[in-house]
Amino acid sequence: MKLLEGSVWRPSVLAVRLEFPRKAIMTRLLTLAAAVVPLTCLAGGCSTTTHGSASANSAPAAGAAEHLTRDTPKSTTEGNAFIAPADWTVSSQGPATILQPPESGSAIALVDVRAPGADSAVAAAWRAYKPDATWPLKVVNQKPDKDGWTDRAAYTYQTSPNEKRDVGVDVQRAGGVWTIAIYDMGQAAGEKRLAQVALIYGELLPKGYTRESFASRKAHRLDEARVAELGAFVERAMQGTKVPGVAVGLLQDGKVVFAGGFGARELDGNEKVDAGTLFMVASNTKAMTTLMLAKLVDQGKLTWETPVTSVLPSFRLGSAATTEQVKIKHLICACTGLPRQDYEWLFQFDGVTPDSVLATLATMQPTSGFGEMFQYSNPLAGAAGFVGGHVAYPTLELGAAYDSAMQRMVFDPLGMAGTTFDYAAALRGDHAMPHAPDVDGNAAPAVMELNYSIIPVRPAGAAWSNIHDMLAYVAMELAEGALPDGSRYISRDVLLARRAPQVPIGKTATYGMGLMVDTTYGVSVVHHGGDMVGFHSDMMWLPGQGVGAVVLTNGDPGWIVRDQFRRKLLEVLFDGRHEADDAAAARAKTFYEQLAADRKLLTVPADANEAAKLAARYHNDALGDIAVSREGDSTLFDFGEWRTEVASRTNPDGSVSFVTTAPGVSGFEFVVGSGSPRSLIVRDAQHEYVFKEGGAAPAS
């Protein structure tokens, strides 16, 4: 998670967390998108006010619908610019411009109104778009001015989980006109078309406005004052997000400008973060994995166009027809249409091996065509690394082959002496521990156990690294394959092929092979984010300016720190508008306000009467078992590998949910099913898993 951009997770607090539940995922994972799509929607927060059962499954009546065959510039009724995505339809309904994806029952409405204030503008927009909507409003979050818009706010509504729907409103003003963006999307369509949603929101600009660009500006030297400005930003962002520790590294023209840390490795601890402190770098592992594949291409052992089955005949994806299409590049391009399916490695990972990961991958099927749209898959990225390892060391077990290939082809040549997949070794030395808010918003140690879930899928995100090592990697990227001594590590063309666009994310960002390229502000920023429980990071470099940076954090919502650091770096380099500080403060405030709003809906400890109706054990073939127990007044769900207290919540439609609350894993929602046998239902955006009463007895 995370949703676009790279990483994983986030139900309520999880970030794209590799990367995790939708909220998390959508928020982190789309870090890229997070800057574009309303946080409420990205973070799974489209915990929007769902206008209740008001025709949630039917599209509003609209006339003169135009079906688009390509991304098309359009304007709202008052002339504000946006881009409508290919394959969507656009129609008008009074002051509302309504965009609908091919999937029925979903829409984004852009409504221009004149009103005395934001609340009245939002009310008028609902009347124009869907007047019978009744979803209860959960929280309103203020947002800083941006891109010519003022008086910005996000309205989040409460939907019932069985609606499988997210609803939210962004309101903003330019001149005397309010423009309201209503997000009213089925979760499956919203996740599948996340990049297209990012296109709509990212290019929604006031009439006649041109976004700030640094294309013609020369980058400043990162002198002492500018480095201090970046450091001060990090410290302010840490305070707002309550992240205990952050490590930062800066490069310019091949030289390390800064390498150090802020805050503590562990909450209430005395050990400070430094440039040698190991953090989980999560999905940043993907770029390093594709570097290993690039080395194999450079050696002539495969090409990016090599069919995967020609080098690993046992590989399967979905169906025979789908499998035949898969080339090496498709394993890591987020362009095959394979949706996130992370729950199957998050909930059951004890005893899972790379071979069993590949076996599970064979059961997964894309929901869109190759190259059509961005969809992020951790298991497929895992397969990329295991395939490369097998090509390099065909006689070794897949995991051992991958580990050996990464050590000998990436870590050793680049001098990344501290980087490792060995958790025990990482935890013995200078390392950070993960943190996240508890159910009441207080910083606390996070559930570290869930971070072990990525080990069987480790090419997607299990590496531990530090600032020294990550800067060595970034320096090689900036040098286009050369090492500090001038020797060539890898061919330039092969290295740069990983940055070539494979699928768009909005208008100004693309995903290559484990790397994103963002040109939103007129200069190319190559980067990738990483998110696991309590660990959020990013590495970035500006090829045209010879500048690189790395940000590692050990707490939720650390994705806010790393996301806005990218913007702050541009501001410092090019004397840009001062937006990053306000954005980081506002996003942190929004995060904790939404957490508090969610908390008001929860009963903690879980309602005793509802908890008493639960079975002692539940089983799902894909996700394993849940053991339900009581400790005092608390109700606990034990998944075997990790456990958590759960809260209860009665939803607007009368259904009852049990919601995980442990720091770092909060927000997994289990809806009580009807009928017999007793059941619990958990969903990600495009999948539903039913746990039925029963299951194996706990091991003695």
Side-chain angles (χ1 to χ4, degrees):
M1 299 238 344
K2 342 19 351 177
L3 345 107
L4 291 186
E5 159 203 13
S7 252
V8 182
W9 124 322
R10 220 187 242 183
S12 64
V13 181
L14 291 177
V16 149
R17 300 175 171 192
L18 212 108
E19 302 146 86
F20 284 130
R22 288 192 55 256
K23 289 187 174 179
I25 289 173
M26 283 194 90
T27 305
R28 301 159 179 161
L29 230 192
L30 290 191
T31 279
L32 228 265
V36 176
V37 183
L39 178 66
T40 184
C41 296
L42 285 183
C46 257
S47 46
T48 10
T49 15
T50 27
H51 279 216
S53 336
S55 9
N57 294 320
S58 60
E66 176 189 5
H67 178 76
L68 303 177
T69 57
R70 63 181 184 275
D71 295 346
T72 305
K74 292 285 184 179
S75 60
T76 65
T77 57
E78 292 282 350
N80 298 312
F82 69 94
I83 296 179
D87 296 326
W88 289 49
T89 59
V90 181
S91 59
S92 60
Q93 186 170 294
T97 302
I98 299 172
L99 298 92
Q100 295 173 288
E103 295 79 11
S104 63
S106 290
I108 291 172
L110 306 178
V111 190
D112 290 330
V113 301
R114 297 177 185 271
D119 288 347
S120 56
V122 170
W126 277 115
R127 288 194 298 271
Y129 164 65
K130 188 179 280 190
D132 56 349
T134 57
W135 292 295
L137 181 65
K138 188 197 300 186
V139 64
V140 178
N141 303 113
Q142 302 303 313
K143 301 165 67 176
D145 295 350
K146 183 177 176 62
D147 287 339
W149 298 109
T150 63
D151 301 319
R152 301 170 66 230
Y155 289 60
T156 298
Y157 300 83
Q158 184 189 2
T159 58
S160 295
N162 289 332
E163 293 180 78
K164 305 177 187 178
R165 187 171 209 78
D166 290 326
V167 182
V169 168
D170 266 17
V171 59
Q172 48 210 346
R173 185 174 62 82
V177 177
W178 294 90
T179 297
I180 298 90
I182 298 176
Y183 182 95
D184 178 19
M185 297 278 287
Q187 290 170 352
E191 182 184 83
K192 177 180 177 180
R193 299 191 177 275
L194 180 59
Q196 293 184 321
V197 172
L199 176 65
I200 297 168
Y201 280 90
E203 299 307 312
L204 179 60
L205 299 171
K207 183 178 181 179
Y209 180 84
T210 301
R211 179 176 279 132
E212 180 180 35
S213 174
F214 307 128
S216 60
R217 302 189 198 179
K218 181 179 179 180
H220 289 287
R221 299 296 306 169
L222 288 174
D223 57 18
E224 184 176 349
R226 294 181 189 275
V227 171
E229 186 178 351
L230 288 167
F233 164 80
V234 169
E235 292 180 312
R236 289 189 294 270
M238 288 172 62
Q239 184 176 11
T241 56
K242 304 180 186 178
V243 170
V246 176
V248 174
L250 297 168
L251 281 168
Q252 189 168 39
D253 296 335
K255 297 180 180 179
V256 175
V257 177
F258 178 84
F262 304 84
R265 304 179 199 171
E266 194 163 359
L267 194 65
D268 299 327
N270 296 320
E271 296 176 311
K272 303 299 183 183
V273 170
D274 57 37
T277 302
L278 290 174
F279 294 73
M280 285 193 72
V281 298
S283 280
N284 289 293
T285 309
K286 291 181 172 70
M288 292 183 268
T289 294
T290 66
L291 181 59
M292 180 266 285
L293 291 171
K295 286 289 289 181
L296 293 171
V297 172
D298 210 23
Q299 295 168 3
K301 294 182 178 179
L302 48 76
T303 73
W304 299 119
E305 303 295 326
T306 298
V308 174
T309 53
S310 71
V311 291
L312 186 65
S314 61
F315 174 83
R316 298 287 183 275
L317 178 63
S319 67
T322 301
T323 301
E324 290 176 0
Q325 300 180 62
V326 183
K327 300 175 182 178
I328 295 296
K329 67 181 181 182
H330 293 135
L331 298 174
I332 199 66
C333 68
C335 67
T336 63
L338 192 69
R340 277 188 175 276
Q341 203 160 334
D342 291 330
Y343 283 14
E344 294 180 26
W345 55 270
L346 287 169
F347 282 92
Q348 187 171 353
F349 52 88
D350 185 34
V352 174
T353 66
D355 283 305
S356 59
V357 167
L358 292 183
T360 300
L361 192 62
T363 69
M364 301 179 182
Q365 181 70 20
T367 57
S368 58
F370 281 29
E372 288 183 4
M373 61 189 67
F374 175 95
Q375 294 207 66
Y376 193 87
S377 170
N378 286 296
L380 199 58
F386 295 136
V387 168
H390 178 71
V391 170
Y393 298 101
T395 63
L396 297 180
E397 178 270 331
L398 289 177
Y402 170 75
D403 295 346
S404 296
M406 291 297 290
Q407 191 67 49
R408 298 174 190 177
M409 299 169 67
V410 178
F411 302 155
D412 288 346
L414 296 184
M416 301 174 70
T419 304
T420 183
F421 295 109
D422 186 336
Y423 279 42
L427 295 172
R428 282 195 298 268
D430 175 358
H431 70 280
M433 290 298 289
H435 303 84
D438 64 18
V439 71
D440 294 312
N442 302 309
V447 177
M448 177 62 189
E449 289 84 353
L450 195 51
N451 283 325
Y452 286 79
S453 63
I454 191 64
I455 293 176
V457 199
R458 53 189 172 278
W464 290 77
S465 193
N466 57 34
I467 290 296
H468 290 312
D469 285 9
M470 295 295 287
L471 286 179
Y473 169 84
V474 172
M476 182 279 301
E477 290 277 9
L478 281 169
E480 297 185 338
L483 294 177
D485 63 4
S487 63
R488 179 142 297 278
Y489 163 69
I490 189 171
S491 299
R492 178 180 182 274
D493 290 347
V494 172
L495 179 79
L496 298 187
R498 298 154 57 246
R499 306 178 197 174
Q502 299 294 329
V503 66
I505 305 170
K507 179 184 178 183
T508 58
T510 59
Y511 200 88
M513 288 183 276
L515 290 170
M516 300 180 186
V517 180
D518 190 336
T519 59
T520 300
Y521 297 105
V523 295
S524 292
V525 180
V526 184
H527 79 106
H528 205 286
D531 306 273
M532 284 297 292
V533 177
F535 289 109
H536 308 284
S537 58
D538 208 325
M539 58 181 181
M540 62 206 77
W541 57 95
L542 285 66
Q545 288 72 32
V547 173
V550 177
V551 181
L552 310 175
T553 78
N554 69 342
D556 299 342
W559 59 89
I560 294 174
V561 181
R562 63 101 190 275
D563 292 353
Q564 293 306 314
F565 187 91
R566 288 202 307 276
R567 168 65 198 188
K568 188 67 178 181
L569 180 62
L570 295 177
E571 293 174 9
V572 168
L573 285 171
F574 300 105
D575 290 335
R577 296 173 190 154
H578 292 277
E579 297 179 354
D581 283 89
D582 287 347
R587 287 182 62 184
K589 186 171 183 286
T590 291
F591 174 84
Y592 283 103
E593 287 176 347
Q594 290 187 340
L595 194 65
D598 286 334
R599 175 65 180 87
K600 290 179 180 178
L601 300 173
L602 298 176
T603 299
V604 184
D607 182 274
N609 292 328
E610 296 297 339
K613 300 174 186 177
L614 294 169
R617 293 189 69 80
Y618 294 87
H619 175 77
N620 176 272
D621 287 344
L623 306 189
D625 296 330
I626 303 174
V628 180
S629 62
R630 299 293 296 274
E631 289 184 4
D633 294 332
S634 300
T635 301
L636 303 177
F637 280 14
D638 189 332
F639 302 98
E641 292 84 350
W642 57 282
R643 67 200 297 261
T644 174
E645 182 179 0
V646 294
S648 60
R649 186 185 68 222
T650 300
N651 302 306
D653 65 359
S655 62
V656 173
S657 296
F658 288 90
V659 182
T660 60
T661 63
V665 297
S666 61
F668 287 105
E669 182 170 4
F670 296 82
V671 183
V672 177
S674 59
S676 180
R678 287 175 284 187
S679 63
L680 294 171
I681 303 165
V682 65
R683 302 179 177 99
D684 65 16
Q686 298 189 56
H687 306 91
E688 177 175 286
Y689 303 91
V690 179
F691 284 83
K692 294 185 178 180
E693 181 177 359
S700 56

